[in-house]
């Protein structure tokens, strides 16, 4: 293996939304790989704007607000500005992952809880140990986001509510280019950073008989979604795009040793 460029010769499919794909592609290029960027999902604001603004206008009635993704932060900021709402002074903030935390800081919000393991389930566990019995928690999420945080809080007796701020829309892989690349064997690894992208990939490749590339998932929930389609995938550690790249490097090393 080329230690400086361990992904040399490897073609890696990047399926993230186009606004998030560039940074992932750069990571792959830094390791010598060739990113093939074909976004399979797009994020747009949820339709129910009136209800969203009403709920955000009542943010002062919550003791906690939880963000599970950078997209949640982005759309929260948009709706708060649209409603002209100030952030309540005493509200506490939970964030899954360092990137979500950094995204919050760019809009002036500092998280007080970031789980040691970047997963919604772990955040819910830590929240259950920290939140007071009468605290109310508002969870910001997308239409297809994992509901583990909400379910775990309910199991722990924490009063939680969810607010969907954006929806995930599958998009065709560059007007049908994805099946052509797969049939030509030009993809070595396909990466999935959310369950919704797994669904979109399967829609885009339905009926295809080409050899599947190696699948790589950002976390357990995404891997479980892939398993529902009958496939196993490598799982990143940690659950980040950097973790995906490191997992691919480890797999290349395993295959070549």
């Amino acid at each position: 293996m080329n230690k400086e460029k361990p992904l040399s010769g490897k073609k890696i499919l990047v399926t993230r939304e186009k606004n998030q794909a560039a940074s992932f592609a750069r990571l792959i290029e830094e390791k010598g790989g060739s990113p093939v960027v074909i976004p399979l999902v797009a994020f747009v604001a949820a339709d129910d704007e009136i209800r969203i603004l009403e709920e955000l206008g009542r943010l002062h009635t919550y003791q906690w607000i939880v963000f599970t993704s950078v997209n949640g932060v982005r759309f929260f900021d948009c709706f708060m500005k649209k409603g002209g709402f100030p952030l309540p002074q005493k509200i506490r903030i939970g964030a899954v992952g360092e990137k979500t935390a950094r995204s919050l800081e760019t809009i002036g919000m500092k998280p007080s809880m970031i789980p040691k393991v970047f997963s919604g389930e772990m955040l819910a566990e830590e929240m259950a140990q920290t939140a007071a019995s009468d605290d109310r928690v508002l969870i910001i999420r997308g239409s297809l986001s994992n509901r583990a945080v909400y379910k775990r809080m309910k199991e722990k007796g924490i009063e939680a509510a969810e607010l969907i701020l954006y929806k995930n829309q599958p998009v065709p892989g560059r007007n049908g280019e994805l099946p052509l690349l797969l049939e030509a064997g030009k993809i070595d690894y396909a990466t999935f950073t959310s369950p919704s992208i797994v669904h979109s990939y399967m829609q885009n490749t339905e009926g295809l008989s080409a050899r599947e590339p190696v699948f790589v998932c950002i976390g357990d929930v995404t891997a479980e979604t892939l398993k529902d389609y009958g496939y196993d995938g490598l799982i990143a550690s940690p659950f980040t795009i950097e973790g995906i790249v490191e997992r691919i490097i480890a797999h290349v090393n395993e295959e070549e040793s």
Side-chain angles (χ1 to χ4, degrees), residues 51 54-65 88 90-92 134-139 159-163:
R51 192 234 165 195
E54 287 177 350
E55 196 63 31
L56 292 179
R58 291 193 291 267
L59 203 54
H60 61 280
T61 66
Y62 291 92
Q63 284 70 48
W64 286 87
I65 184 168
K90 295 183 178 179
I91 198 164
R92 301 182 71 183
D134 58 348
D135 278 356
R136 300 180 71 232
V137 181
L138 182 64
I139 303 165
E159 185 176 348
E162 296 176 300
L163 185 59

Side-chain angles (χ1 to χ4, degrees), residues 201-223:
Y201 178 92
M202 295 303 167
Q203 290 174 19
N204 273 278
T205 60
E206 187 173 6
L208 200 67
S209 58
R211 177 182 65 83
E212 296 289 356
V214 177
F215 296 130
V216 192
C217 301
I218 199 166
D220 295 333
V221 176
T222 301

Side-chain angles (χ1 to χ4, degrees), residues 17-249:
E17 195 218 17
K18 62 179 181 180
N19 291 331
Q20 299 174 324
S23 57
F24 193 6
R26 278 196 300 274
L27 279 177
I28 294 168
E29 288 172 336
E30 288 171 5
K31 299 297 182 181
S34 299
V36 180
V37 179
I38 302 181
L40 294 180
V41 69
F43 301 116
V44 297
D47 296 326
D48 197 355
E49 182 176 304
I50 293 176
R51 192 234 165 195
I52 289 171
L53 293 177
E54 287 177 350
E55 196 63 31
L56 292 179
R58 291 193 291 267
L59 203 54
H60 61 280
T61 66
Y62 291 92
Q63 284 70 48
W64 286 87
I65 184 168
V66 167
F67 296 88
T68 59
S69 72
V70 170
N71 291 315
V73 176
R74 173 156 61 104
F75 283 98
F76 174 82
D77 187 45
C78 290
F79 278 113
M80 289 292 279
K81 287 177 178 173
K82 182 169 286 190
F85 304 128
L87 186 70
Q89 292 287 325
K90 295 183 178 179
I91 198 164
R92 301 182 71 183
I93 302 163
V96 176
E98 291 178 355
K99 290 184 178 176
T100 302
R102 286 201 295 272
S103 182
L104 283 164
E105 289 174 357
T106 64
I107 63 170
M109 298 173 68
K110 186 172 178 57
S112 53
M113 178 181 291
I114 305 171
K116 295 173 184 174
V117 177
F118 300 159
S119 74
E121 291 87 342
M122 182 58 71
L123 185 141
E125 289 297 330
E126 294 188 16
M127 181 72 73
Q129 297 174 17
T130 304
S133 59
D134 58 348
D135 278 356
R136 300 180 71 232
V137 181
L138 182 64
I139 303 165
I140 301 298
R141 72 178 186 88
S143 59
L144 298 179
S145 302
N146 177 12
R147 299 191 70 200
V149 178
Y150 175 78
K151 292 177 180 176
R152 191 70 184 124
M153 287 185 185
K154 285 295 186 182
E155 290 171 2
K156 293 287 185 179
I158 298 173
E159 185 176 348
E162 296 176 300
L163 185 59
I164 296 174
L165 296 190
Y166 64 97
K167 58 184 179 181
N168 312 48
Q169 289 185 333
V171 295
R174 279 204 318 228
N175 297 318
E177 185 178 4
L178 177 58
L180 296 177
L181 289 170
L182 291 169
E183 286 178 339
K186 293 186 175 179
I187 303 293
D188 298 304
Y189 293 86
T191 61
F192 302 126
T193 53
S194 72
S196 60
I197 292 177
V198 174
H199 293 309
S200 183
Y201 178 92
M202 295 303 167
Q203 290 174 19
N204 273 278
T205 60
E206 187 173 6
L208 200 67
S209 58
R211 177 182 65 83
E212 296 289 356
V214 177
F215 296 130
V216 192
C217 301
I218 199 166
D220 295 333
V221 176
T222 301
E224 285 299 317
T225 304
L226 182 63
K227 195 177 285 291
D228 290 340
Y229 286 96
Y231 298 105
D232 289 320
L234 307 176
I235 300 176
S237 179
F239 296 164
T240 62
I241 57 172
E242 290 82 1
I244 288 178
V245 171
E246 290 304 316
R247 187 65 188 89
I248 295 173
I249 292 172

